[in-house]
Amino acid sequence: MRDLVVGFGYLMKGQRWVAGHGRWFGFGLLPGLVTLVLYVGALVGLGYGADNLVGWATPFADGWSSPWLGLLRGFLTALVFTFGLFVAVITFTAVTLLIGQPFYESLSEQVDRSEGGRVPRSGLPLWRELWISARDSLRVVARVVFYGILLFAAGFLPVVGQTVVPALGFAVSGFFLAEELTAVALQRRGVELKERLVLLRGRRMMVLGFGVPLTLAFIVPLVAVFLMPGAVAGATLMVRDLAGTESDEPSPQAPAPYSLDKDRGLNDAGRGGFRA
């Protein structure tokens, strides 16, 4: 329970940090606004074109009489739009972080700088950072989809499907949302996806305390846009606890490799929960 509160505390600290640094809050809003416009446009297009798509995919029903034709295609149209909305929700953060990679990396660096100590830099060119971010985001989305399918199937179980499964769904979503957000600071520290997952599993309850409330808020994309800068700031503050900090700031021309303290990542490894 204490770790849950600590994780939520980092989320609040991040929001307070950007509230106290208004310029960086506005700076961090830009990627989310761009992503929101793109997603709204895509969903509007899907809304207009879903019925045509369903009609094209179900030629066998052209000769059906009323009301069966309308019921079938109406149901499938709603299903297509719902699926599109689901995809938008689970990919919104990943796409925002990808579009905003330079913005959020600068924001994360500024958080490190304001807190004192080492300000890690990856030393990689922008295209390489974008490639790593996109690759890791696809891997994370694949994991989310895998767990989503399992939980969807478990949702048909009596009682458990209506109680335990939704809670597990939010836990899974919260964990991987926290992973995507902490990736901004951890990637600058040279920590690969596999190591990041080990690190986050070691403090699973704290990560859930950070990620689950954010997942609930991010259900509304407009809310996600305004919380994203503070979420990145809070994730950076949490990373400073998870991975530790150093007192020296490396030269931008020759960044020192960041050494992950694996023992910290394995603390509390016996705590309950799913394995990412």
Side-chain angles (χ1 to χ4, degrees), residues 1 3 15-17 41 47 49 56 66 72 81 83 109-110 152 163 167 171 198 204 208 218 222 225 251 274:
M1 180 62 69
D3 271 359
Q15 301 303 324
R16 287 197 297 269
W17 191 94
W56 171 82
S66 180
L72 173 68
F81 187 80
F83 178 75
E109 284 186 8
Q110 185 62 29
F152 177 78
T163 54
V198 170
R204 186 179 294 112
L208 292 179
F218 274 25
L222 187 60
V225 170
S251 167
F274 63 91

Side-chain angles (χ1 to χ4, degrees), residues 210-239:
F210 180 89
V212 172
L214 205 53
T215 297
L216 293 170
F218 274 25
I219 291 174
V220 183
L222 187 60
V223 174
V225 170
F226 287 95
L227 292 183
M228 184 67 82
V232 172
T236 302
L237 293 171
M238 186 165 66
V239 163

Side-chain angles (χ1 to χ4, degrees), residues 15-275:
Q15 301 303 324
R16 287 197 297 269
W17 191 94
V18 294
H21 298 77
R23 182 172 70 88
W24 287 99
F25 175 68
F27 187 73
L29 282 179
L30 294 176
L33 291 172
V34 171
T35 307
L36 181 63
V37 170
L38 292 175
Y39 270 58
V40 168
L43 288 173
V44 169
L46 181 62
Y48 278 106
D51 54 347
N52 293 329
L53 176 63
V54 168
W56 171 82
T58 57
F60 59 85
D62 287 342
W64 288 15
S65 60
S66 180
W68 307 115
L69 176 62
L71 287 174
L72 173 68
R73 289 185 171 168
F75 171 75
L76 291 177
T77 298
L79 191 63
V80 166
F81 187 80
T82 301
F83 178 75
L85 190 60
F86 170 74
V87 170
V89 169
I90 67 171
T91 61
F92 183 85
T93 301
V95 173
T96 302
L97 288 172
L98 182 61
I99 292 175
Q101 176 74 20
F103 294 83
Y104 294 134
E105 186 167 321
S106 297
L107 172 59
S108 180
E109 284 186 8
Q110 185 62 29
V111 173
D112 270 327
R113 187 171 292 109
S114 70
E115 294 297 307
R118 183 174 179 238
V119 182
R121 296 184 179 90
S122 67
L124 298 174
L126 178 59
W127 70 268
R128 179 66 177 167
E129 290 182 346
L130 290 174
W131 161 249
I132 293 173
S133 180
R135 180 197 65 190
D136 289 350
S137 292
L138 286 175
R139 291 175 177 175
V140 169
V141 169
R143 284 174 165 85
V144 173
V145 170
F146 172 73
Y147 282 114
I149 292 172
L150 292 181
L151 292 171
F152 177 78
F156 291 99
L157 297 174
V159 182
V160 173
Q162 292 74 50
T163 54
V164 177
V165 170
L168 285 176
F170 281 114
V172 170
S173 299
F175 179 89
F176 284 112
L177 176 59
E179 191 286 323
E180 289 184 285
L181 289 165
T182 54
V184 177
L186 288 172
Q187 188 173 312
R188 288 193 294 109
R189 289 162 163 82
V191 184
E192 297 290 336
L193 175 61
K194 184 177 179 180
E195 293 176 315
R196 294 201 299 265
L197 292 174
V198 170
L199 184 65
L200 296 179
R201 283 199 301 265
R203 298 293 298 276
R204 186 179 294 112
M205 298 307 292
M206 185 173 77
V207 172
L208 292 179
F210 180 89
V212 172
L214 205 53
T215 297
L216 293 170
F218 274 25
I219 291 174
V220 183
L222 187 60
V223 174
V225 170
F226 287 95
L227 292 183
M228 184 67 82
V232 172
T236 302
L237 293 171
M238 186 165 66
V239 163
R240 291 172 64 86
D241 178 22
L242 286 169
T245 57
E246 296 180 22
S247 60
D248 59 317
E249 181 172 337
S251 167
Q253 287 76 23
Y258 190 85
S259 175
L260 174 64
D261 183 355
K262 298 282 178 53
D263 292 333
R264 286 181 68 97
L266 295 175
N267 286 344
D268 309 320
R271 299 185 182 186
F274 63 91
R275 181 180 178 85

